[in-house]
Amino acid sequence: MLIRTRDSGFDHPRSGDITPRAVYQQRRELLKTLAAGAAGGALAAWAARDARAQTARPGKLAPLPGARSAVSGAVTMEKLTDHQDATSYNNFYEFGTDKDDPARHAHQMKTVPWSVEIEGLVNKPGRLALEDLLKLKPMEERVYRLRCVEGWSMVIPWVGYSLAELIKRVEPQGSAKYLEFVTLAENKQMPGLRSRVIDWPYTEGLRMDEALHPLALLTFGMYGEVLPHQNGAPVRLVVPWKYGFKSAKSIVKIRFLEQAPRTAWNKAAANEYGFYSNVNPEVDHPRWSQATERRIGEDGLFTKKRKTLMFNGYEAQVGQLYAGMDLRKNY
Ligand SMILES: Nc1nc2c(c(=O)[nH]1)N[C@H]1C(S)=C(S)[C@@H](COP(=O)(O)O)O[C@H]1N2
Ligand SMILES: [Mo]
């Protein structure tokens, strides 16, 4: 069934018998109950007050449910980041460099109509309308950790399907070894473009085998709804084993290439941001350690930093992609 959406105006499939929002709200309630039981009265009262303060819920955007993913490692049972935090603490430099800039300015981005152009070494190049991308494969819900290179992380229920599905559809040629992702750069809609921090448009890249890994998610929604603008509407990547900046937002073009593309962050500071950018607690950023992280929403009374995990905890799934590579050199 196709439903006309309120906010973005595009059509998307909607399945009446899957209610991921209800499912994860139940999960949250359960976790809250467990936490309160274990910690005793005072802490329970504090937690309850905290819960009331965080009443912001999704519900403003068009629903985009996804069936629970069967891909190995795709659903962590960790506590979800509050929707309010996930939509108000963002990196989307096209709208400014402060964490609240995207939430304040991203409504100016025009996401209708939207299409993604497929270029380069494929048998089926051309322009794919968002409507067709949405119908390409059934939507799945993936609960991924996202670890920013700045040292914070979130746990977000994303909605989409494996990027591999789109790649197969456009039939890459044997010579295609890399993908480049180009994102929207519109001066009138994006006040952040006035700043020269990045050589716009923001671009990113993956090696073909990374892009084909089932965990690499072509993402259209989060928390059971279409993506809010500040999180990269209407279509972005989420590559959970890499630092967050590899997960390009608001993608307009995908190029299939023989050579590795330069990436926006690599051009801006090559010694700090390499092509791979796999989460790696053993390789420090030149200006700070990457050994620990702050989980957004946990910066309360008893905050302890978390240990950052190799490949952000997805080593069992993706480790073999890098067998034999020197991960200090290939940072
Ligand atoms: N086009 C674009 N994509 C982007 C960015 C950006 O500035 N522009 N920032 C990246 C960074 S640094 C991070 S941590 C994630 C943040 O995604 P989120 O705001 O949905 O949590 O988006 C990534 N994708
Ligand atoms: Mo980031």
Side-chain angles (χ1 to χ4, degrees), residues 62-74:
L64 186 67
R68 167 162 290 233
S69 178
V71 170
S72 166

Side-chain angles (χ1 to χ4, degrees), residues 147 243 280-284 288-293 306-309:
R147 182 10 173 119
Y243 291 118
N280 190 341
E282 287 162 19
V283 177
D284 292 344
W288 59 80
S289 161
Q290 293 290 29
T292 61
E293 68 200 53
R306 290 171 177 251
K307 276 195 163 156
T308 286
L309 302 172

Side-chain angles (χ1 to χ4, degrees), residues 140-309:
E140 293 176 21
E141 186 173 70
R142 309 270 186 98
V143 183
Y144 284 163
R145 287 179 292 276
L146 188 71
R147 182 10 173 119
C148 179
V149 75
E150 295 164 346
W152 49 267
S153 60
M154 300 200 195
V155 177
I156 294 179
W158 304 101
V159 183
Y161 50 77
S162 293
L163 173 63
E165 304 288 358
L166 171 60
I167 295 176
K168 281 184 238 160
R169 181 60 63 104
V170 299
E171 299 179 10
Q173 296 165 3
S175 52
K177 301 285 188 243
Y178 292 90
L179 278 71
E180 180 182 24
F181 305 91
V182 183
T183 71
L184 188 72
E186 285 286 344
N187 286 314
K188 287 201 186 107
Q189 302 169 28
M190 300 174 139
L193 298 191
R194 282 190 291 248
S195 145
R196 296 269 132 221
V197 265
I198 276 171
D199 179 13
W200 310 106
Y202 188 106
T203 62
E204 258 306 334
L206 293 172
R207 210 171 59 188
M208 180 61 83
D209 60 339
E210 298 180 310
L212 285 171
H213 194 283
L215 284 177
L217 189 69
L218 192 64
T219 307
F220 301 90
M222 56 193 260
Y223 297 86
E225 298 183 347
V226 298
L227 285 171
H229 284 190
Q230 60 268 39
N231 295 90
V235 57
R236 67 174 295 176
L237 277 182
V238 182
V239 190
W241 68 95
K242 293 176 179 283
Y243 291 118
F245 66 87
K246 297 293 287 184
S247 295
K249 293 176 170 178
S250 305
I251 294 170
V252 294
K253 189 182 286 193
I254 304 177
R255 287 199 187 103
F256 288 74
L257 306 167
E258 187 156 6
Q259 306 290 333
R262 291 297 300 277
T263 65
W265 279 112
N266 186 253
K267 283 191 222 168
N271 64 323
E272 302 189 359
Y273 309 109
F275 180 80
Y276 286 95
S277 299
N278 291 314
V279 173
N280 190 341
E282 287 162 19
V283 177
D284 292 344
H285 184 280
R287 292 183 280 137
W288 59 80
S289 161
Q290 293 290 29
T292 61
E293 68 200 53
R294 180 172 67 93
R295 180 64 51 84
I296 298 297
E298 287 185 346
D299 20 29
L301 244 36
F302 309 104
T303 316
K304 238 172 78 192
K305 281 204 165 193
R306 290 171 177 251
K307 276 195 163 156
T308 286
L309 302 172

